[in-house]
Amino acid sequence: MNTNHYLMVEETSVNSRLENYINGSFVAAKGTAELEVLSPMTGERVALSPVSDAEDIDAAFAAARSAFASWKSVTPSERQRCLLALADRMEQHSDELVEAQHRNTGQPRRIIAQEEVAAGADQLRFFAGAARLLEGRGAAEYLEGHTSYVRREPVGVVAQITPWNFPLMMAIWKIGPALAAGNTIVLKPAETTPESTLVLARLAGEVLPPGVLNVVLGDGSTGQLLTEHDTPAMVSITGSVRAGQAVATSAAKAVKRTHLELGGKAPAVVFADADLHKAAELILTFGTFNAGQDCTAVTRVLVQDSVHDEFVELLAAQAAKLTTGELDDGLNDYGPLNNVRHFETVCAKLKNIPDHATVITGGVPPEGGRGFFVKPTIITGVRQEDELVQEETFAPVLTVQPFSTEEEALTLANGVDYALASSVWTTNQGQAMRMSRDLDFGCVWVNTHLLLVAEMPHGGFKSSGYGKDLSLYSVEEYTRVKHVMHALD
């Protein structure tokens, strides 16, 4: 098992070439095409990454198939031991994981350490325990003279595709439940953020049998090869609606199971009786965390009209306190947008806001600066049909809309295609309960937002996809149910 071949861990060189991790070793890709991995802090190249081709994908799936033959029969207690050991190694190599990810994302190092490494280790420990808690209906004689019971089995080899906004966290959310349930994996990280996943793969190779976890690098064409391959019984992706639709269409041809987490357009519904100062502070924090590149981030602020103007002023005051764009990331509340294509898309949206809307603070970044930074942006006067309201911006951009009644708030909140997350801000418990019931989102927070725990499910409805991450529900996603009946005579 080769554990020392990852070129980018100890030092950065623009000539370093990343490699796939297949069957317990780092191996050069057969595909000849390469991608530049750029630092979003400066726009400079930090590595070269291969575009894996069909031969690379075949090799990864062959390794996963071979490993599944034995891994599926490993006892839950042994799978638990492996996941606990991987969690320990993550914490021991926290600095290494942080630096690898910071090069690709520009996220503040302390945030990577807290929100992805430490949180990821904790989530792995949850999945380690969940490996021993899979349940089925108890054995009984539902038909006279026959005993029936249910087996929960791993689905087999799974293909997984992770996004660039939280590379390490999303890798943990994918591999944790899949490994706990006894599956083997071929995972492709986003093309702009491969490095922390490669470090994770190396650490996993120290505790898992070869072939249980494989990582292939590449772009959308590599992802298409992954989803169209004959081997995987399931494809899981976190990404855009367009990417999810492509995966679902491809998987449908072979009737493969899919797990789709496809983004959000989260509203924060603020009633006049809420603690407005606290709500403004937290909503700005939750709307700009990770530069707004979070599917659950507050993007739409709906405020009762009697306090609308006051609340906008409070939001603007909070926005003025936030810092980004400093090369010393210790001073930053959040970092840059991840890549130049996304940065240009966001800038285009900010340059073309409707005439009826008003930018209160923030807006288009000044030209000529290094890196892909966007200041906290608050926009009022938007209409429900505006693109800024209906489509995911994935940036530190918040729109504000007034409402008069609870019914109008629900109409505005639910009036988008996304249905991942939402929050309601009020001191009226009856109102909070009604809103929690009627908000059409996979998660509703009350007087908070964005916070996640390993024990509770994360996932949406409508165009936000289907399937759950985190919790025992996510482990069940990676299992199949088999009925077994024994004749007693």
Side-chain angles (χ1 to χ4, degrees):
M1 185 184 303
N2 185 341
T3 61
N4 298 303
H5 202 177
Y6 174 50
L7 296 177
M8 291 296 296
V9 171
E10 299 297 339
E11 59 183 358
T12 301
S13 168
V14 296
N15 295 316
S16 294
R17 284 177 165 80
L18 307 180
E19 296 182 332
N20 293 331
Y21 188 81
I22 298 175
N23 205 30
S25 297
F26 285 100
V27 293
K30 302 298 183 182
T32 57
E34 289 184 312
L35 300 166
E36 290 189 321
V37 180
L38 305 180
S39 164
M41 297 283 287
T42 64
E44 296 173 347
R45 189 172 82 187
V46 296
L48 290 169
S49 177
V51 178
S52 298
D53 65 11
E55 189 175 354
D56 299 306
I57 302 304
D58 286 342
F61 277 124
R65 283 196 309 271
S66 178
F68 181 68
S70 56
W71 180 250
K72 67 178 180 180
S73 300
V74 167
T75 62
S77 63
E78 178 62 15
R79 294 201 295 271
Q80 179 189 49
R81 187 196 65 78
C82 291
L83 290 173
L84 290 174
L86 180 54
D88 290 343
R89 279 165 171 76
M90 284 184 63
E91 290 179 336
Q92 293 160 3
H93 293 263
S94 177
D95 290 347
E96 184 180 359
L97 287 162
V98 167
E99 287 303 318
Q101 182 147 310
H102 176 73
R103 280 195 294 273
N104 295 174
T105 66
Q107 296 164 292
R109 291 175 176 86
R110 71 183 187 283
I111 292 178
I112 301 172
Q114 295 167 3
E115 303 297 332
E116 300 207 40
V117 179
D122 176 72
Q123 290 157 0
L124 277 179
R125 292 188 177 110
F126 168 81
F127 290 124
R132 303 179 73 164
L133 288 176
L134 288 177
E135 297 178 351
R137 202 175 289 273
E141 287 68 50
Y142 299 100
L143 180 65
E144 185 177 352
H146 297 77
T147 297
S148 289
Y149 62 92
V150 167
R151 287 178 55 87
R152 273 201 178 270
E153 301 175 340
V155 297
V157 177
V158 297
Q160 299 180 325
I161 300 173
T162 54
W164 43 253
N165 56 333
F166 295 106
L168 184 60
M169 182 194 299
M170 294 297 98
I172 296 299
W173 287 17
K174 296 294 185 197
I175 72 170
L179 295 175
N183 302 279
T184 57
I185 298 165
V186 178
L187 182 147
K188 189 194 87 67
E191 63 192 76
T192 60
T193 57
E195 295 195 62
S196 60
T197 304
L198 291 177
V199 178
L200 179 66
R202 196 198 77 221
L203 298 176
E206 298 173 5
V207 299
L208 296 172
V212 170
L213 174 61
N214 308 275
V215 175
V216 292
L217 306 181
D219 57 11
S221 66
T222 307
Q224 184 175 358
L225 290 171
L226 210 66
T227 60
E228 292 179 349
H229 201 276
D230 292 338
T231 295
M234 176 178 176
V235 181
S236 175
I237 181 173
T238 298
S240 67
V241 173
R242 185 179 62 206
Q245 290 170 333
V247 166
T249 300
S250 175
K253 296 176 183 177
V255 200
K256 295 174 184 174
R257 187 182 302 193
T258 54
H259 176 283
L260 310 176
E261 201 273 76
L262 306 179
K265 195 67 180 171
V269 183
V270 182
F271 286 92
D273 68 331
D275 182 335
L276 298 184
H277 286 82
K278 181 179 179 181
E281 178 183 359
L282 293 178
I283 285 171
L284 237 294
T285 299
F286 297 138
T288 59
F289 179 74
N290 202 40
Q293 298 170 124
D294 187 318
C295 299
T296 62
V298 176
T299 61
R300 299 181 294 137
V301 184
L302 310 178
V303 187
Q304 201 151 29
D305 48 14
S306 61
V307 296
H308 174 274
D309 293 348
E310 177 186 358
F311 197 72
V312 170
E313 291 180 3
L314 291 172
L315 288 175
Q318 290 297 324
K321 299 177 183 179
L322 298 180
T323 301
T324 190
E326 300 287 342
L327 290 181
D328 177 3
D329 80 332
L331 301 177
N332 286 349
D333 292 292
Y334 63 85
L337 300 187
N338 177 256
N339 57 80
V340 64
R341 183 171 60 184
H342 179 50
F343 178 71
E344 290 173 347
T345 298
V346 171
C347 290
K349 289 182 179 180
L350 293 177
K351 288 178 181 177
N352 293 286
I353 66 167
D355 292 339
H356 54 260
T358 301
V359 176
I360 300 299
T361 187
V364 180
E367 296 182 0
R370 295 207 311 171
F372 312 137
F373 295 95
V374 175
K375 295 288 187 181
T377 299
I378 300 168
I379 303 174
T380 62
V382 294
R383 298 170 183 168
Q384 187 69 8
E385 66 272 16
D386 288 344
E387 181 184 5
L388 284 169
V389 173
Q390 293 293 325
E391 299 297 328
E392 199 169 33
T393 305
F394 226 52
V397 177
L398 289 76
T399 61
V400 185
Q401 296 171 267
F403 68 86
S404 297
T405 64
E406 192 174 305
E407 292 73 20
E408 184 183 5
L410 283 168
T411 298
L412 293 173
N414 293 335
V416 296
D417 290 336
Y418 297 94
L420 181 61
S422 60
S423 60
V424 55
W425 303 74
T426 179
T427 55
N428 184 321
Q429 290 302 307
Q431 187 165 250
M433 292 292 287
R434 291 191 300 273
M435 292 293 292
S436 300
R437 177 194 63 196
D438 295 333
L439 282 166
D440 189 18
F441 296 85
C443 179
V444 180
W445 287 284
V446 178
N447 295 325
T448 189
H449 198 102
L450 199 74
L451 305 179
L452 298 168
V453 292
E455 294 84 357
M456 289 290 108
H458 171 79
F461 314 136
K462 295 162 56 176
S463 290
S464 290
Y466 48 80
K468 298 300 181 183
D469 292 313
L470 301 176
S471 78
L472 280 172
Y473 294 101
S474 72
V475 182
E476 291 178 357
E477 294 278 342
Y478 289 93
T479 67
R480 64 185 190 182
V481 174
K482 179 187 288 184
H483 167 221
V484 181
M485 179 184 282
H486 286 258
L488 299 181
D489 295 327

